[in-house]
Amino acid sequence: AMVAILMHFGGSQLNHFLNEFPDDKKNTEELREILEDILMKTAVGIRDIHQENIMHRDIKEGNVFVIESDGKFIPRIGDFGTARNIHQFKLLEGSVLREMQSTMQMTRIGTIPYMAPEMNSDQPYDGKVDCFAWAKMAVNCHEICGFIDTTIVKRIVPPEISDSFLTVIKGALDEDPNAQGSKLYFYD
């Protein structure tokens, strides 16, 4: 996978993109397919940035941009201002390591409704918090489009991504701050 971090690549923020759809297009199968394709591609993007050892820490609709090209909708993850190298702490030793871990791996950063429980409680965290935030974003996008129903969890679980994906979605829907959803990656 290739990850390119650009200063500007255009497109609409995902929440604006969804809100721009006319009311007669809301809650239609066509919009559902577009949304779920965007969400899947965004999940793959998160997997790709994690493979490059990058933890975004602020995944949300406002940081996913949608570009239309040849009738297809292409999402791009943006705003890497809060991003950190997942493994940078392994490069340090001694007190410098402990200081870096305490300030960067436990920093409350991002957007509160999308934060995994451990980010909001001074616990160490890693890239799994991006998976949790993605799940919150997926639920919000379905609500924007008028799709929130009992089938949401089943519908947006892609077959090519691991079984733990379902647990991440359920964890994001769980009101319990100790939910296990943020403890998993949604890919193998």
Side-chain angles (χ1 to χ4, degrees):
M2 185 177 97
V3 175
I5 299 178
L6 308 170
M7 290 302 292
H8 180 73
F9 42 72
S12 296
Q13 292 175 317
L14 179 55
N15 52 330
H16 294 160
F17 172 80
L18 296 173
N19 281 316
E20 290 169 5
F21 271 85
D23 286 341
D24 64 333
K25 293 277 189 178
K26 299 275 174 120
N27 205 9
T28 63
E29 193 59 31
E30 175 189 5
L31 181 55
R32 185 186 296 262
E33 288 174 12
I34 290 169
L35 171 61
E36 292 174 1
D37 182 60
I38 289 169
L39 291 172
M40 279 305 310
K41 289 174 181 170
T42 304
V44 170
I46 292 169
R47 181 201 62 204
D48 291 348
I49 65 172
H50 286 175
Q51 287 175 345
E52 297 296 322
N53 297 319
I54 298 169
M55 170 175 47
H56 188 280
R57 304 195 304 173
D58 197 22
I59 298 292
K60 61 184 179 182
E61 301 93 326
N63 288 337
V64 174
F65 298 86
V66 181
I67 301 162
E68 184 175 359
S69 177
D70 296 325
K72 294 183 180 182
F73 300 100
I74 304 163
R76 298 286 187 249
I77 299 169
D79 189 358
F80 281 78
T82 61
R84 292 292 177 262
N85 183 309
I86 294 171
H87 302 295
Q88 78 185 72
F89 310 111
K90 293 179 181 176
L91 305 174
L92 305 171
E93 293 184 19
S95 62
V96 175
L97 170 64
R98 284 189 294 280
E99 183 178 333
M100 290 290 285
Q101 284 178 324
S102 67
T103 59
M104 292 180 71
Q105 239 181 349
M106 294 174 61
T107 302
R108 289 182 187 174
I109 195 160
T111 305
I112 291 173
Y114 302 86
M115 284 184 181
E118 59 270 29
M119 288 182 83
N120 214 8
S121 62
D122 294 328
Q123 296 176 24
Y125 58 83
D126 59 19
K128 295 178 190 93
V129 299
D130 290 341
C131 298
F132 183 88
W134 177 92
K136 285 285 197 183
M137 180 187 74
V139 171
N140 289 345
C141 289
H142 278 75
E143 288 175 346
I144 289 170
C145 295
F147 298 137
I148 197 67
D149 56 37
T150 57
T151 63
I152 181 174
V153 173
K154 292 177 185 160
R155 286 193 59 94
I156 60 179
V157 176
E160 65 272 16
I161 293 182
S162 73
D163 292 339
S164 59
F165 194 88
L166 182 61
T167 305
V168 174
I169 296 282
K170 286 181 179 177
L173 292 168
D174 196 333
E175 297 297 323
D176 178 5
N178 297 313
Q180 293 299 307
S182 62
K183 308 291 189 251
L184 299 166
Y185 287 105
F186 52 58
Y187 50 83
D188 290 327

